[in-house]
Amino acid sequence: MRLLEGQVALVTGAGGGIGRGIALRFAERGAAAVAVHCRTSVAAAEEVAERVRESGARAVVLRADLRDEDACHRLVRDAAEWGGGRLDALVNNAGVQPVRALAGMGADEWREVVDANLSSVFACTQAAVEVMGEGGSVTHIASVEAHRPAAGHAHYSAAKAAVVMHARSAALEYGPRGIRVNSVSPGLIDREGLAGDWPEGVARWLDKAPLGRLGRPEDVGDACAFLASPLASWITGQDLVVDGGVSARPTW
């Protein structure tokens, strides 16, 4: 299904993992051009870009440190210029997920996570809306931890909860311009080596997930492609949880 026929899209943090799945799904669903952003993983981003081209879309790799507000604005401008002066869809996927106990966490550690996961979303969205003009879609990648925190992730969970609320607030303000803003909250997404790195956590997730598996990057990509498509033309300010049903479990 070519749901995104002709769209020009920018996916941040697209060098690997979830970002790769999103970029590839956009190409497979008919996007004309996908800008693949990375901060340091240039080789991996180039591989993603090549796979995007194999799916029939144009692709370019753009580097930027999104902890810097000016860099966010430059990234969006560069993507739009490369796209022929257009930007139809932005997916704010870039972020970090360090583990650190709240007790003893320094303000610098807190700011690093907030800047990477939340402030970048603010700056990239603000820049993208100016390029889009009238009409377009913005999707933030949040997390199930925006709704249910995990130990050692207080900074991450707080930032992701704020990302969900930013999407709702932006949807309210940009709706009159025809720009839709939503968020996607993934659950545990598989990656190479995850089962070996965190066997206990993977086992717990598989035990609790009604659908009986971990998520795949493409699962998140499908959600993002839907939200950027005409099928979601009357959906804005919503958080789509993609977690295999884990959040349906009672917590008492």
Side-chain angles (χ1 to χ4, degrees):
M1 295 182 292
R2 298 182 65 83
L3 298 175
L4 308 177
E5 190 71 48
Q7 287 197 20
V8 176
L10 167 61
V11 182
T12 69
I18 291 175
R20 175 190 289 116
I22 296 168
L24 294 180
R25 274 298 192 256
F26 267 68
E28 293 161 0
R29 298 294 183 251
V34 181
V36 177
H37 160 263
C38 69
R39 180 167 67 93
T40 57
S41 55
V42 178
E46 290 289 359
E47 291 180 10
V48 173
E50 184 56 34
R51 290 186 61 185
V52 166
R53 296 183 189 107
E54 291 171 358
S55 296
R58 295 169 54 226
V60 66
V61 173
L62 299 174
R63 291 187 66 183
D65 185 344
L66 301 187
R67 294 170 298 183
D68 178 83
E69 182 179 1
D70 290 339
C72 293
H73 284 260
R74 284 194 300 272
L75 170 67
V76 171
R77 286 197 303 268
D78 289 347
E81 289 175 8
W82 169 78
R86 290 177 52 194
L87 184 64
D88 303 297
L90 166 66
V91 181
N92 286 307
N93 168 72
V96 297
Q97 191 183 31
V99 178
R100 182 75 161 94
L102 185 57
M105 181 186 296
D108 56 339
E109 295 173 293
W110 177 272
R111 282 192 295 268
E112 180 182 3
V113 172
V114 170
D115 285 347
N117 291 284
L118 175 60
S119 299
S120 64
V121 166
F122 155 72
C124 287
T125 300
Q126 193 176 59
V129 166
E130 292 307 309
V131 173
M132 289 175 179
E134 300 293 327
S137 72
V138 178
T139 305
H140 304 342
I141 302 304
S143 169
V144 292
E145 290 189 38
H147 308 280
R148 297 186 179 186
H153 280 176
H155 43 5
Y156 179 80
S157 297
K160 290 300 188 179
V163 163
V164 171
M165 188 52 69
H166 179 276
R168 293 176 180 171
S169 300
L172 178 66
E173 296 198 27
Y174 294 136
R177 294 174 53 176
I179 296 172
R180 300 179 298 102
V181 188
N182 294 287
S183 58
V184 172
S185 286
L188 186 60
I189 304 300
D190 202 5
R191 60 168 173 78
E192 185 176 355
L194 177 61
D197 294 341
W198 196 36
E200 184 270 338
V202 169
R204 281 192 292 113
W205 187 276
L206 293 175
D207 180 61
K208 298 299 183 183
L211 292 182
R213 67 171 175 86
L214 301 182
R216 295 184 287 261
E218 293 78 13
D219 295 322
V220 183
D222 284 333
C224 293
F226 164 70
L227 289 173
S229 79
L231 295 180
S233 63
W234 210 46
I235 299 175
T236 194
Q238 302 303 309
D239 182 51
L240 178 55
V241 177
V242 181
D243 70 350
V246 166
S247 59
R249 289 281 187 182
T251 56
W252 61 89

mmCIF file of all heavy atoms in Angstrom, residues 119-165:
data_model
loop_
_atom_site.group_PDB
_atom_site.id
_atom_site.type_symbol
_atom_site.label_atom_id
_atom_site.label_comp_id
_atom_site.label_asym_id
_atom_site.label_seq_id
_atom_site.Cartn_x
_atom_site.Cartn_y
_atom_site.Cartn_z
ATOM 1 N N SER A 119 14.015 18.385 24.299
ATOM 2 C CA SER A 119 14.316 19.687 23.703
ATOM 3 C C SER A 119 14.522 19.565 22.195
ATOM 4 O O SER A 119 14.150 20.465 21.430
ATOM 5 C CB SER A 119 15.549 20.304 24.362
ATOM 6 O OG SER A 119 15.320 20.517 25.748
ATOM 7 N N SER A 120 15.086 18.462 21.745
ATOM 8 C CA SER A 120 15.266 18.250 20.306
ATOM 9 C C SER A 120 13.923 18.154 19.595
ATOM 10 O O SER A 120 13.753 18.640 18.469
ATOM 11 C CB SER A 120 16.079 16.980 20.056
ATOM 12 O OG SER A 120 15.390 15.832 20.508
ATOM 13 N N VAL A 121 12.960 17.533 20.255
ATOM 14 C CA VAL A 121 11.607 17.419 19.691
ATOM 15 C C VAL A 121 10.984 18.800 19.537
ATOM 16 O O VAL A 121 10.378 19.126 18.504
ATOM 17 C CB VAL A 121 10.742 16.510 20.585
ATOM 18 C CG1 VAL A 121 9.269 16.634 20.237
ATOM 19 C CG2 VAL A 121 11.203 15.065 20.460
ATOM 20 N N PHE A 122 11.123 19.608 20.562
ATOM 21 C CA PHE A 122 10.615 20.984 20.512
ATOM 22 C C PHE A 122 11.222 21.752 19.348
ATOM 23 O O PHE A 122 10.513 22.352 18.531
ATOM 24 C CB PHE A 122 10.919 21.688 21.838
ATOM 25 C CG PHE A 122 11.001 23.188 21.747
ATOM 26 C CD1 PHE A 122 9.866 23.953 21.561
ATOM 27 C CD2 PHE A 122 12.230 23.824 21.836
ATOM 28 C CE1 PHE A 122 9.951 25.333 21.463
ATOM 29 C CE2 PHE A 122 12.327 25.202 21.741
ATOM 30 C CZ PHE A 122 11.176 25.960 21.552
ATOM 31 N N ALA A 123 12.552 21.735 19.236
ATOM 32 C CA ALA A 123 13.228 22.545 18.226
ATOM 33 C C ALA A 123 12.970 22.037 16.815
ATOM 34 O O ALA A 123 12.719 22.832 15.899
ATOM 35 C CB ALA A 123 14.726 22.586 18.514
ATOM 36 N N CYS A 124 13.035 20.726 16.610
ATOM 37 C CA CYS A 124 12.800 20.190 15.267
ATOM 38 C C CYS A 124 11.364 20.410 14.822
ATOM 39 O O CYS A 124 11.106 20.726 13.648
ATOM 40 C CB CYS A 124 13.140 18.699 15.235
ATOM 41 S SG CYS A 124 14.910 18.328 15.273
ATOM 42 N N THR A 125 10.425 20.258 15.736
ATOM 43 C CA THR A 125 9.022 20.481 15.385
ATOM 44 C C THR A 125 8.788 21.935 15.018
ATOM 45 O O THR A 125 8.127 22.243 14.010
ATOM 46 C CB THR A 125 8.115 20.074 16.551
ATOM 47 O OG1 THR A 125 8.303 18.683 16.842
ATOM 48 C CG2 THR A 125 6.644 20.318 16.219
ATOM 49 N N GLN A 126 9.305 22.826 15.808
ATOM 50 C CA GLN A 126 9.139 24.253 15.546
ATOM 51 C C GLN A 126 9.692 24.607 14.166
ATOM 52 O O GLN A 126 9.051 25.333 13.392
ATOM 53 C CB GLN A 126 9.851 25.051 16.634
ATOM 54 C CG GLN A 126 9.510 26.530 16.666
ATOM 55 C CD GLN A 126 10.191 27.206 17.840
ATOM 56 O OE1 GLN A 126 11.415 27.198 17.955
ATOM 57 N NE2 GLN A 126 9.395 27.772 18.731
ATOM 58 N N ALA A 127 10.862 24.084 13.837
ATOM 59 C CA ALA A 127 11.471 24.364 12.541
ATOM 60 C C ALA A 127 10.672 23.729 11.408
ATOM 61 O O ALA A 127 10.478 24.353 10.346
ATOM 62 C CB ALA A 127 12.909 23.850 12.520
ATOM 63 N N ALA A 128 10.201 22.511 11.608
ATOM 64 C CA ALA A 128 9.479 21.809 10.545
ATOM 65 C C ALA A 128 8.161 22.485 10.204
ATOM 66 O O ALA A 128 7.767 22.567 9.037
ATOM 67 C CB ALA A 128 9.219 20.363 10.958
ATOM 68 N N VAL A 129 7.476 22.956 11.219
ATOM 69 C CA VAL A 129 6.180 23.606 10.985
ATOM 70 C C VAL A 129 6.346 24.844 10.118
ATOM 71 O O VAL A 129 5.511 25.135 9.258
ATOM 72 C CB VAL A 129 5.514 23.945 12.329
ATOM 73 C CG1 VAL A 129 4.353 24.909 12.138
ATOM 74 C CG2 VAL A 129 5.031 22.668 13.007
ATOM 75 N N GLU A 130 7.434 25.564 10.299
ATOM 76 C CA GLU A 130 7.674 26.749 9.478
ATOM 77 C C GLU A 130 7.879 26.362 8.017
ATOM 78 O O GLU A 130 7.457 27.079 7.109
ATOM 79 C CB GLU A 130 8.890 27.507 10.002
ATOM 80 C CG GLU A 130 8.677 28.138 11.362
ATOM 81 C CD GLU A 130 7.432 29.013 11.408
ATOM 82 O OE1 GLU A 130 7.286 29.880 10.508
ATOM 83 O OE2 GLU A 130 6.607 28.825 12.308
ATOM 84 N N VAL A 131 8.512 25.223 7.780
ATOM 85 C CA VAL A 131 8.739 24.757 6.417
ATOM 86 C C VAL A 131 7.450 24.215 5.807
ATOM 87 O O VAL A 131 7.152 24.439 4.626
ATOM 88 C CB VAL A 131 9.832 23.676 6.398
ATOM 89 C CG1 VAL A 131 9.954 23.050 5.013
ATOM 90 C CG2 VAL A 131 11.163 24.258 6.835
ATOM 91 N N MET A 132 6.671 23.503 6.591
ATOM 92 C CA MET A 132 5.455 22.865 6.083
ATOM 93 C C MET A 132 4.418 23.877 5.625
ATOM 94 O O MET A 132 3.679 23.638 4.676
ATOM 95 C CB MET A 132 4.857 21.952 7.169
ATOM 96 C CG MET A 132 5.673 20.702 7.431
ATOM 97 S SD MET A 132 4.995 19.738 8.812
ATOM 98 C CE MET A 132 6.136 18.350 8.827
ATOM 99 N N GLY A 133 4.337 24.976 6.323
ATOM 100 C CA GLY A 133 3.344 25.974 5.944
ATOM 101 C C GLY A 133 1.938 25.547 6.322
ATOM 102 O O GLY A 133 1.544 25.606 7.475
ATOM 103 N N GLU A 134 1.158 25.081 5.350
ATOM 104 C CA GLU A 134 -0.221 24.664 5.585
ATOM 105 C C GLU A 134 -0.346 23.185 5.236
ATOM 106 O O GLU A 134 -0.414 22.809 4.073
ATOM 107 C CB GLU A 134 -1.183 25.495 4.734
ATOM 108 C CG GLU A 134 -1.131 26.977 4.996
ATOM 109 C CD GLU A 134 -1.621 27.358 6.382
ATOM 110 O OE1 GLU A 134 -2.536 26.680 6.891
ATOM 111 O OE2 GLU A 134 -1.087 28.331 6.942
ATOM 112 N N GLY A 135 -0.373 22.348 6.235
ATOM 113 C CA GLY A 135 -0.529 20.913 6.023
ATOM 114 C C GLY A 135 0.759 20.149 6.234
ATOM 115 O O GLY A 135 1.841 20.606 5.861
ATOM 116 N N GLY A 136 0.647 18.984 6.845
ATOM 117 C CA GLY A 136 1.803 18.139 7.114
ATOM 118 C C GLY A 136 1.566 17.326 8.368
ATOM 119 O O GLY A 136 0.526 17.464 9.032
ATOM 120 N N SER A 137 2.517 16.456 8.688
ATOM 121 C CA SER A 137 2.375 15.641 9.894
ATOM 122 C C SER A 137 3.701 15.577 10.637
ATOM 123 O O SER A 137 4.772 15.559 10.028
ATOM 124 C CB SER A 137 1.920 14.211 9.553
ATOM 125 O OG SER A 137 2.975 13.479 8.953
ATOM 126 N N VAL A 138 3.596 15.557 11.953
ATOM 127 C CA VAL A 138 4.747 15.390 12.836
ATOM 128 C C VAL A 138 4.416 14.252 13.791
ATOM 129 O O VAL A 138 3.321 14.233 14.378
ATOM 130 C CB VAL A 138 5.050 16.672 13.634
ATOM 131 C CG1 VAL A 138 6.234 16.443 14.580
ATOM 132 C CG2 VAL A 138 5.318 17.846 12.701
ATOM 133 N N THR A 139 5.336 13.315 13.923
ATOM 134 C CA THR A 139 5.137 12.198 14.846
ATOM 135 C C THR A 139 6.332 12.111 15.783
ATOM 136 O O THR A 139 7.484 12.054 15.326
ATOM 137 C CB THR A 139 4.981 10.867 14.085
ATOM 138 O OG1 THR A 139 3.925 10.975 13.143
ATOM 139 C CG2 THR A 139 4.676 9.731 15.057
ATOM 140 N N HIS A 140 6.062 12.127 17.075
ATOM 141 C CA HIS A 140 7.110 11.974 18.081
ATOM 142 C C HIS A 140 7.179 10.511 18.516
ATOM 143 O O HIS A 140 6.134 9.885 18.737
ATOM 144 C CB HIS A 140 6.805 12.797 19.340
ATOM 145 C CG HIS A 140 6.595 14.250 19.121
ATOM 146 N ND1 HIS A 140 6.996 14.920 17.992
ATOM 147 C CD2 HIS A 140 6.007 15.190 19.940
ATOM 148 C CE1 HIS A 140 6.673 16.203 18.106
ATOM 149 N NE2 HIS A 140 6.083 16.391 19.267
ATOM 150 N N ILE A 141 8.386 9.992 18.670
ATOM 151 C CA ILE A 141 8.543 8.664 19.255
ATOM 152 C C ILE A 141 8.730 8.831 20.755
ATOM 153 O O ILE A 141 9.755 9.327 21.217
ATOM 154 C CB ILE A 141 9.723 7.901 18.636
ATOM 155 C CG1 ILE A 141 9.528 7.766 17.125
ATOM 156 C CG2 ILE A 141 9.840 6.515 19.283
ATOM 157 C CD1 ILE A 141 8.229 7.097 16.714
ATOM 158 N N ALA A 142 7.716 8.429 21.495
ATOM 159 C CA ALA A 142 7.747 8.499 22.957
ATOM 160 C C ALA A 142 8.141 7.110 23.485
ATOM 161 O O ALA A 142 9.121 6.530 23.015
ATOM 162 C CB ALA A 142 6.398 8.957 23.502
ATOM 163 N N SER A 143 7.404 6.556 24.425
ATOM 164 C CA SER A 143 7.734 5.245 24.988
ATOM 165 C C SER A 143 6.610 4.821 25.921
ATOM 166 O O SER A 143 5.906 5.669 26.488
ATOM 167 C CB SER A 143 9.052 5.322 25.777
ATOM 168 O OG SER A 143 9.265 4.142 26.536
ATOM 169 N N VAL A 144 6.470 3.508 26.118
ATOM 170 C CA VAL A 144 5.541 3.043 27.142
ATOM 171 C C VAL A 144 5.958 3.560 28.509
ATOM 172 O O VAL A 144 5.132 3.658 29.424
ATOM 173 C CB VAL A 144 5.436 1.507 27.164
ATOM 174 C CG1 VAL A 144 4.762 0.989 25.922
ATOM 175 C CG2 VAL A 144 6.804 0.855 27.356
ATOM 176 N N GLU A 145 7.246 3.925 28.649
ATOM 177 C CA GLU A 145 7.695 4.467 29.926
ATOM 178 C C GLU A 145 7.181 5.883 30.171
ATOM 179 O O GLU A 145 7.334 6.412 31.271
ATOM 180 C CB GLU A 145 9.220 4.425 30.004
ATOM 181 C CG GLU A 145 9.753 3.011 30.115
ATOM 182 C CD GLU A 145 11.243 2.970 30.400
ATOM 183 O OE1 GLU A 145 11.734 3.815 31.166
ATOM 184 O OE2 GLU A 145 11.916 2.077 29.856
ATOM 185 N N ALA A 146 6.561 6.488 29.182
ATOM 186 C CA ALA A 146 5.867 7.751 29.413
ATOM 187 C C ALA A 146 4.641 7.533 30.297
ATOM 188 O O ALA A 146 4.157 8.467 30.947
ATOM 189 C CB ALA A 146 5.431 8.364 28.080
ATOM 190 N N HIS A 147 4.167 6.292 30.334
ATOM 191 C CA HIS A 147 2.961 5.945 31.090
ATOM 192 C C HIS A 147 3.273 5.082 32.309
ATOM 193 O O HIS A 147 2.567 5.175 33.324
ATOM 194 C CB HIS A 147 1.988 5.200 30.175
ATOM 195 C CG HIS A 147 1.704 5.912 28.884
ATOM 196 N ND1 HIS A 147 0.808 6.951 28.801
ATOM 197 C CD2 HIS A 147 2.213 5.755 27.636
ATOM 198 C CE1 HIS A 147 0.763 7.403 27.549
ATOM 199 N NE2 HIS A 147 1.604 6.693 26.827
ATOM 200 N N ARG A 148 4.331 4.258 32.199
ATOM 201 C CA ARG A 148 4.703 3.363 33.290
ATOM 202 C C ARG A 148 6.216 3.420 33.455
ATOM 203 O O ARG A 148 6.946 2.827 32.659
ATOM 204 C CB ARG A 148 4.247 1.934 32.989
ATOM 205 C CG ARG A 148 2.745 1.801 32.878
ATOM 206 C CD ARG A 148 2.323 0.373 32.726
ATOM 207 N NE ARG A 148 0.875 0.250 32.638
ATOM 208 C CZ ARG A 148 0.215 -0.903 32.609
ATOM 209 N NH1 ARG A 148 0.885 -2.035 32.682
ATOM 210 N NH2 ARG A 148 -1.102 -0.926 32.533
ATOM 211 N N PRO A 149 6.705 4.112 34.469
ATOM 212 C CA PRO A 149 8.154 4.299 34.604
ATOM 213 C C PRO A 149 8.871 3.015 34.984
ATOM 214 O O PRO A 149 8.280 2.082 35.526
ATOM 215 C CB PRO A 149 8.252 5.341 35.718
ATOM 216 C CG PRO A 149 7.015 5.135 36.535
ATOM 217 C CD PRO A 149 5.948 4.764 35.555
ATOM 218 N N ALA A 150 10.163 3.014 34.688
ATOM 219 C CA ALA A 150 11.015 1.886 35.055
ATOM 220 C C ALA A 150 12.138 2.392 35.956
ATOM 221 O O ALA A 150 12.580 3.538 35.836
ATOM 222 C CB ALA A 150 11.606 1.235 33.805
ATOM 223 N N ALA A 151 12.590 1.539 36.851
ATOM 224 C CA ALA A 151 13.679 1.918 37.752
ATOM 225 C C ALA A 151 14.923 2.270 36.949
ATOM 226 O O ALA A 151 15.274 1.599 35.976
ATOM 227 C CB ALA A 151 13.981 0.766 38.708
ATOM 228 N N GLY A 152 15.603 3.345 37.364
ATOM 229 C CA GLY A 152 16.795 3.787 36.674
ATOM 230 C C GLY A 152 16.528 4.653 35.465
ATOM 231 O O GLY A 152 17.464 5.081 34.786
ATOM 232 N N HIS A 153 15.264 4.932 35.189
ATOM 233 C CA HIS A 153 14.889 5.690 33.997
ATOM 234 C C HIS A 153 14.044 6.917 34.342
ATOM 235 O O HIS A 153 13.219 7.345 33.529
ATOM 236 C CB HIS A 153 14.101 4.806 33.029
ATOM 237 C CG HIS A 153 14.971 3.904 32.211
ATOM 238 N ND1 HIS A 153 14.459 2.963 31.341
ATOM 239 C CD2 HIS A 153 16.322 3.812 32.108
ATOM 240 C CE1 HIS A 153 15.446 2.325 30.748
ATOM 241 N NE2 HIS A 153 16.588 2.822 31.205
ATOM 242 N N ALA A 154 14.229 7.479 35.516
ATOM 243 C CA ALA A 154 13.406 8.629 35.902
ATOM 244 C C ALA A 154 13.553 9.775 34.909
ATOM 245 O O ALA A 154 12.559 10.408 34.525
ATOM 246 C CB ALA A 154 13.806 9.103 37.309
ATOM 247 N N HIS A 155 14.789 10.064 34.482
ATOM 248 C CA HIS A 155 15.009 11.146 33.524
ATOM 249 C C HIS A 155 14.386 10.819 32.179
ATOM 250 O O HIS A 155 13.771 11.670 31.533
ATOM 251 C CB HIS A 155 16.491 11.466 33.378
ATOM 252 C CG HIS A 155 17.433 10.292 33.292
ATOM 253 N ND1 HIS A 155 17.018 8.969 33.241
ATOM 254 C CD2 HIS A 155 18.797 10.269 33.208
ATOM 255 C CE1 HIS A 155 18.080 8.177 33.164
ATOM 256 N NE2 HIS A 155 19.161 8.948 33.134
ATOM 257 N N TYR A 156 14.530 9.575 31.747
ATOM 258 C CA TYR A 156 13.992 9.126 30.464
ATOM 259 C C TYR A 156 12.463 9.119 30.472
ATOM 260 O O TYR A 156 11.822 9.638 29.548
ATOM 261 C CB TYR A 156 14.533 7.731 30.157
ATOM 262 C CG TYR A 156 14.031 7.136 28.868
ATOM 263 C CD1 TYR A 156 14.592 7.504 27.646
ATOM 264 C CD2 TYR A 156 13.017 6.184 28.868
ATOM 265 C CE1 TYR A 156 14.144 6.937 26.458
ATOM 266 C CE2 TYR A 156 12.568 5.611 27.687
ATOM 267 C CZ TYR A 156 13.130 5.993 26.487
ATOM 268 O OH TYR A 156 12.680 5.435 25.312
ATOM 269 N N SER A 157 11.884 8.534 31.521
ATOM 270 C CA SER A 157 10.424 8.461 31.609
ATOM 271 C C SER A 157 9.802 9.854 31.659
ATOM 272 O O SER A 157 8.781 10.116 31.011
ATOM 273 C CB SER A 157 10.009 7.659 32.848
ATOM 274 O OG SER A 157 10.453 6.327 32.761
ATOM 275 N N ALA A 158 10.411 10.757 32.432
ATOM 276 C CA ALA A 158 9.892 12.120 32.526
ATOM 277 C C ALA A 158 9.963 12.823 31.181
ATOM 278 O O ALA A 158 9.022 13.515 30.764
ATOM 279 C CB ALA A 158 10.678 12.903 33.581
ATOM 280 N N ALA A 159 11.078 12.651 30.475
ATOM 281 C CA ALA A 159 11.220 13.289 29.162
ATOM 282 C C ALA A 159 10.214 12.733 28.168
ATOM 283 O O ALA A 159 9.608 13.483 27.391
ATOM 284 C CB ALA A 159 12.642 13.099 28.640
ATOM 285 N N LYS A 160 10.006 11.431 28.174
ATOM 286 C CA LYS A 160 9.075 10.830 27.229
ATOM 287 C C LYS A 160 7.622 11.189 27.559
ATOM 288 O O LYS A 160 6.799 11.356 26.650
ATOM 289 C CB LYS A 160 9.253 9.312 27.200
ATOM 290 C CG LYS A 160 10.558 8.864 26.552
ATOM 291 C CD LYS A 160 10.653 9.334 25.109
ATOM 292 C CE LYS A 160 11.857 8.737 24.395
ATOM 293 N NZ LYS A 160 11.953 9.171 22.980
ATOM 294 N N ALA A 161 7.293 11.315 28.833
ATOM 295 C CA ALA A 161 5.952 11.775 29.188
ATOM 296 C C ALA A 161 5.734 13.196 28.680
ATOM 297 O O ALA A 161 4.646 13.545 28.182
ATOM 298 C CB ALA A 161 5.759 11.717 30.705
ATOM 299 N N ALA A 162 6.768 14.016 28.771
ATOM 300 C CA ALA A 162 6.672 15.382 28.258
ATOM 301 C C ALA A 162 6.543 15.399 26.740
ATOM 302 O O ALA A 162 5.864 16.263 26.171
ATOM 303 C CB ALA A 162 7.887 16.192 28.695
ATOM 304 N N VAL A 163 7.182 14.447 26.059
ATOM 305 C CA VAL A 163 7.059 14.340 24.606
ATOM 306 C C VAL A 163 5.599 14.089 24.213
ATOM 307 O O VAL A 163 5.089 14.675 23.250
ATOM 308 C CB VAL A 163 7.976 13.218 24.078
ATOM 309 C CG1 VAL A 163 7.579 12.782 22.670
ATOM 310 C CG2 VAL A 163 9.428 13.676 24.086
ATOM 311 N N VAL A 164 4.923 13.215 24.954
ATOM 312 C CA VAL A 164 3.507 12.948 24.673
ATOM 313 C C VAL A 164 2.686 14.221 24.831
ATOM 314 O O VAL A 164 1.833 14.548 23.983
ATOM 315 C CB VAL A 164 2.979 11.830 25.599
ATOM 316 C CG1 VAL A 164 1.459 11.698 25.464
ATOM 317 C CG2 VAL A 164 3.653 10.505 25.275
ATOM 318 N N MET A 165 2.926 14.963 25.895
ATOM 319 C CA MET A 165 2.161 16.186 26.115
ATOM 320 C C MET A 165 2.537 17.273 25.112
ATOM 321 O O MET A 165 1.690 18.081 24.719
ATOM 322 C CB MET A 165 2.354 16.683 27.545
ATOM 323 C CG MET A 165 1.429 17.846 27.918
ATOM 324 S SD MET A 165 -0.331 17.513 27.575
ATOM 325 C CE MET A 165 -0.666 16.249 28.810
#
